[in-house]
Amino acid sequence: MSTRRQIQEWVSKRFAILVAVGVASLSVALWQALVAREHVQIRRAVEQETLNLRTEIKERLDPQINALDRLARRWEMRGGTPREEWEADAMHYLADQTGQWRISWIDPSYIARWTVPTQPTTYRGVNLAREERRRVAMEAARETREAKVTLANNMFGDNRGLLVFVPLFVGERFDGFIQGIFRTPELLDPLLSEHASLGFSTSVSDDEKEIASHRTSDRQEYLQWLQETEVEVHNLIWHIQVWPGPELVADIRSSLPEATLAAGLLLALLMSLTVRLARTARIHAQEVGETNQELEEQITERKRAEEALQFTQFASSAR
């Protein structure tokens, strides 16, 4: 093989490789762009769901706390409410609420006096200020004259609850508190289940531990899209985490990126082979052309030689 042919073959191979690399690179870039778009769609869905959950928790808790506040305002307007009337109002309030367990009147010395539904006698007459968390919340409510919320630890066994203290003031006279006791799981579990039905895993926690959750998967593959936010219920702050579950990811993802990548790589291979064959055929055609040209030149030279020989013979015979 001539040096020229070797150079042409080398250039042909390199050009085919460049074509394959170029098409494959474009295919990979398109595949990555499609995958990135799917990730953005999943992240946006989780972000929106996180905001929705925060709003729904506020919308679920605020009206119940506001209803307790209305009970307190009625007490203040009347300068106090007779026990039978107060218990009737409290029972009507409980019938309309979700997750509300009990309502109590706490007297100015922080001792539980009236409770509906009626609790065991061991609860009546208990000084609630003995527990640090409750005492801090009650003092803050009395000082600010605003409702305060704290955790009801050890009140529901393994479950977590909420205590809401609404201060009572008749003029400048302090009359104690209206206390609402909520079961947190009954408040949050139905809400989290609704979001789970949409394909999301959720968790709500305070600064100490998880309060409620509904997980469809804890695999790192799905936790990469986890979003966090906070919801403030008066003075209490809960941390919310939301991430997608397998079904949601499967709904958003498609086979298009992988199909695009496979088709692109196959196209790169075919184009590389096509270019290689085309350039090889061109080289062969060029070689055939050059060979034909050499043959034509040889034939022409032979004809000229024959003509010269005939002329010489004719000249010799003429003498």
Side-chain angles (χ1 to χ4, degrees):
M1 183 182 292
S2 66
T3 302
R4 180 181 178 185
R5 174 65 183 274
Q6 290 177 342
I7 294 175
Q8 288 176 333
E9 288 288 344
W10 184 86
V11 172
S12 177
K13 291 179 180 178
R14 295 301 180 272
F15 185 70
I17 292 173
L18 288 175
V19 170
V21 171
V23 176
S25 299
L26 290 176
S27 301
V28 171
L30 180 58
W31 166 68
Q32 290 177 333
L34 292 173
V35 171
R37 186 184 68 174
E38 290 181 349
H39 282 223
V40 169
Q41 290 177 330
I42 295 172
R43 185 175 66 253
R44 287 177 177 172
V46 175
E47 289 175 349
Q48 185 60 52
E49 197 68 12
T50 304
L51 296 177
N52 291 343
L53 180 57
R54 181 178 66 181
T55 300
E56 290 168 6
I57 290 176
K58 287 281 291 182
E59 290 177 347
R60 182 158 295 195
L61 287 175
D62 282 347
Q64 302 202 47
I65 296 175
N66 292 338
L68 289 174
D69 189 70
R70 288 194 293 273
L71 284 177
R73 300 294 81 79
R74 182 178 302 181
W75 178 292
E76 293 174 344
M77 290 177 62
R78 297 187 58 179
T81 305
R83 179 171 181 170
E84 290 185 2
E85 184 177 336
W86 181 88
E87 289 179 346
D89 288 343
M91 288 299 295
H92 283 114
Y93 165 77
L94 287 174
D96 295 333
Q97 305 302 319
T98 300
Q100 181 82 358
W101 187 47
R102 297 187 187 280
I103 300 177
S104 300
W105 170 58
I106 312 300
D107 73 14
S109 60
Y110 298 175
I111 295 176
R113 296 298 181 186
W114 305 340
T115 300
V116 292
T118 304
Q119 283 192 313
T121 56
T122 54
Y123 182 79
R124 293 195 297 270
V126 173
N127 188 336
L128 300 183
R130 291 178 180 177
E131 200 274 322
E132 178 70 13
R133 192 190 297 270
R134 292 197 294 260
R135 182 184 60 78
V136 170
M138 287 189 289
E139 289 180 351
R142 180 174 182 174
E143 181 178 349
T144 61
R145 297 196 178 192
E146 296 178 352
K148 296 298 178 183
V149 184
T150 188
L151 296 177
N153 291 338
N154 302 320
M155 188 167 287
F156 304 107
D158 293 335
N159 295 327
R160 305 299 295 272
L162 290 180
L163 295 179
V164 179
F165 296 102
V166 182
L168 300 171
F169 282 91
V170 178
E172 293 301 317
R173 187 186 76 206
F174 174 57
D175 273 6
F177 306 91
I178 298 294
Q179 175 190 252
I181 307 175
F182 297 86
R183 283 191 177 98
T184 309
E186 292 180 12
L187 283 170
L188 296 181
D189 284 352
L191 187 59
L192 301 188
S193 295
E194 292 176 9
H195 288 263
S197 67
L198 299 176
F200 296 93
S201 296
T202 52
S203 173
V204 180
S205 60
D206 57 29
D207 292 331
E208 297 180 359
K209 62 183 295 186
E210 188 175 81
I211 298 172
S213 67
H214 201 303
R215 288 173 163 80
T216 57
S217 175
D218 281 331
R219 289 171 54 185
Q220 189 61 39
E221 175 185 357
Y222 306 111
L223 291 175
Q224 63 177 307
W225 291 293
L226 184 146
Q227 296 290 321
E228 296 182 282
T229 188
E230 293 181 346
V231 58
E232 184 173 356
V233 184
H234 288 264
N235 56 300
L236 191 67
I237 296 178
W238 282 346
H239 308 285
I240 298 173
Q241 292 183 328
V242 179
W243 63 98
E247 293 184 0
L248 177 69
V249 173
D251 288 341
I252 295 179
R253 281 179 170 172
S254 70
S255 60
L256 180 60
E258 288 73 18
T260 300
L261 178 61
L265 294 178
L266 179 60
L267 179 62
L269 177 61
L270 293 177
M271 289 188 67
S272 175
L273 292 174
T274 301
V275 169
R276 181 79 173 89
L277 293 174
R279 289 187 65 84
T280 300
R282 182 179 177 183
I283 292 173
H284 287 320
Q286 185 178 357
E287 290 178 346
V288 170
E290 292 176 352
T291 302
N292 290 336
Q293 185 177 358
E294 290 178 359
L295 289 174
E296 289 176 358
E297 290 177 353
Q298 291 177 3
I299 293 171
T300 301
E301 289 294 331
R302 181 174 294 181
K303 286 182 178 181
R304 288 176 181 175
E306 290 176 352
E307 290 175 354
L309 180 60
Q310 291 175 359
F311 179 76
T312 301
Q313 291 176 349
F314 176 77
S316 299
S317 63
R319 292 177 184 173

